[in-house]
Amino acid sequence: MHHHYRHRKHINMYDIPLGVWAAQKLSLVCCPRLQVRKDIIFKASTIILTYLAYAAYHMSRKPISVVKSVLHENCTNPKNTTDNDCGYPPFDVPDASTLFGTLDSAFLVTYAISMFVSGIVAERVSLRYFLSLGMLFSGLFTLLFGAAKSWNIHTMWYFVIVQVLGGIVQTTGWPGVVTLMARWFDRSKRGLIFGIWNSHTSVGNILGTLIAAHFVESNWMLSFAVPGAIMAALGFVMFLFIVDDPEMVGLHSTHSHLPVPHSSLHEDEERAQAVDNYDANIGIHGYTDDYTEINHRASERTPILARSRSQTNAQTERNAVGILQALSIPGVVEFSLCLFFAKLVSYTFLYWLPLYIQSSTTLSPSVAADLSTLFDIGGIFGAIAAGTVSDYSGMPATTCLVLLVCAAPLLFMYAHLGGISIVVNIVLLLLAGFMVNGPYALITTFVSAELGQHQSLSHNAKALATVTAIIDGTGSVGAAVGPFLAGLVSQKGWENVFNMLICADILAMLIVSRQVVKELLRLRRGRRIRIE
């Protein structure tokens, strides 16, 4: 007995977050019956906390795109040299769009590079500290960007450095929240749960835009200070309440991290049946007080069929995977590159849409910013639809392809017809958001989680954050390239920006097509087995 106990993760009393400990004590005093469905309470709080956390990450990235239109304004009267006439120095120059492109890139390039490191760090430290510190510093750097106005700072270097440091600390968000979700939720409804959960990106963008738009014309310092303060406060909440692993509170780790088979549907059904039987053995509440059961709790690394104990323990002690090992998982490279182009399109919209709407219509900066949130609202529905479809079909690559095929003509139509009327603009924005953000959401959540638990890793649970970081890191490079190119290309006319986005969309289709062929072949094979 004691021999096995040694191999178990040592869970310290002090690992339990203060807020959770206090809540448990309170619930014992007030309503002792609450213990019964402990698992549901913790799952719900994990969804809500990670959702709020990642929405906050996005909320604090967004103000800069809204404030651009105030930092640089067209000079109405060159003779009049009042402070506010051409915008805020150093952005009061004719080629301000290049400066904005530089700021976006400073953030996004740093973000992309740090993401690879961040994924590796996330596997080796407590996610609670990792996320809460990341959020605290992200809030601080958002605040510092706005503080430039209060402190009257006009050097470009200050803004670039704040963006670079912000880019580094913002990478704590993604590997952190995805790994937490995968630890708490099993595979059965993951596409749908992740699809709905993934709307945090869009909700964060919308909140960031609305908050920034509210203050942009009166005092743009507050456009940064308010999201920054909310972000830091939420970091503290995460520190009090987020639970790193179900084992810490005496629950089973999900057996979600069973190897993800790239096999026929027939085998999948048998495997699902085995998991159901396994569930039945654990009992309805998913945990038990039996000493041995807790010691050999089903963790990410537990195979469905029991094998000799010593072998399982050796497996459990595996080291975290390296980047090369993660890259060799079938599909990681294709999906990473597909995300590169999907994110390039999405982030170009994110950073330039308020400015484009303002320049192509007669709307004020704050109305243009509000209108740009429609792209994200479309994106929420795109993410849920894409997640649901791949849940039922088991074909994420094909789902991505269909959405990407629809996105290209929509981008073309938006560029040429968006200016006709506000109604047309709204409809096309919603549709474009749906088609562009669907694949992006699907790859960053559902696909990352599936590939991170691929069978070639032999139940190695530590691969998840690395795979997530590789896919998202590659995507982030695209996110960095897009807005930067848009800044250069937009000087010769906005049409070029849209042509660039359409090309990126087509490249994403070509890259993902290899995975689509594999999925279709698997489907045919599955059908043949069924008929026999």
Side-chain angles (χ1 to χ4, degrees), residues 114-131:
S114 316
M115 183 56 91
F116 293 99
V117 181
S118 201
I120 294 167
V121 175
E123 290 178 353
R124 292 162 171 81
V125 296
S126 156
L127 289 177
R128 179 163 67 102
Y129 287 95
F130 186 67
L131 270 173

Side-chain angles (χ1 to χ4, degrees), residues 1-6 291-292 295-296:
M1 270 308 167
H2 297 288
H3 167 70
H4 294 314
Y5 191 74
R6 249 198 347 258
Y291 178 76
T292 50
N295 280 340
H296 307 299

Side-chain angles (χ1 to χ4, degrees), residues 262-486:
H262 281 262
S263 57
S264 70
L265 295 172
H266 186 66
E267 286 167 32
D268 283 347
E269 280 170 42
E270 286 177 4
R271 198 170 276 103
Q273 187 58 52
V275 173
D276 290 342
N277 297 342
Y278 186 73
D279 275 343
N281 296 337
I282 289 179
I284 188 153
H285 299 310
Y287 59 95
T288 166
D289 294 325
D290 178 12
Y291 178 76
T292 50
E293 186 68 29
I294 283 187
N295 280 340
H296 307 299
R297 182 172 293 119
S299 77
E300 299 93 328
R301 291 140 291 201
T302 313
I304 300 179
L305 302 168
R307 50 169 69 154
S308 76
R309 285 268 153 82
S310 58
Q311 214 177 332
T312 310
N313 288 327
Q315 207 89 336
T316 306
E317 300 297 299
R318 277 277 164 100
N319 299 324
V321 305
I323 284 188
L324 285 174
Q325 196 187 346
L327 281 172
S328 63
I329 300 170
V332 166
V333 173
E334 284 101 323
F335 280 117
S336 298
L337 290 171
C338 180
L339 187 64
F340 175 92
F341 291 109
K343 261 193 149 177
L344 186 149
V345 178
S346 186
Y347 271 68
T348 304
F349 264 95
L350 202 74
Y351 281 90
W352 290 95
L353 193 57
L355 210 57
Y356 172 70
I357 293 174
Q358 206 199 327
S359 66
S360 61
T361 59
T362 52
L363 302 168
S364 73
S366 59
V367 177
D370 291 346
L371 192 64
S372 74
T373 59
L374 291 167
F375 181 76
D376 282 304
I377 292 169
I380 293 176
F381 293 107
I384 294 171
T388 312
V389 169
S390 37
D391 247 359
Y392 285 105
S393 64
M395 298 170 75
T398 313
T399 313
C400 286
L401 185 75
V402 172
L403 289 167
L404 290 165
V405 168
C406 299
L410 275 166
L411 292 172
F412 182 79
M413 283 161 71
Y414 185 69
H416 294 279
L417 306 174
I420 292 180
S421 74
I422 196 131
V423 177
V424 175
N425 202 318
I426 288 171
V427 172
L428 287 174
L429 263 182
L430 284 168
L431 286 171
F434 187 96
M435 301 305 172
V436 168
N437 279 358
Y440 155 36
L442 191 63
I443 295 169
T444 51
T445 50
F446 185 71
V447 174
S448 297
E450 295 284 284
L451 293 177
Q453 296 150 5
H454 191 265
Q455 61 197 18
S456 66
L457 295 165
S458 319
H459 322 292
N460 189 342
K462 293 219 168 151
L464 186 67
T466 305
V467 170
T468 304
I470 287 174
I471 293 179
D472 202 57
T474 312
S476 305
V477 178
V481 171
F484 178 70
L485 287 178

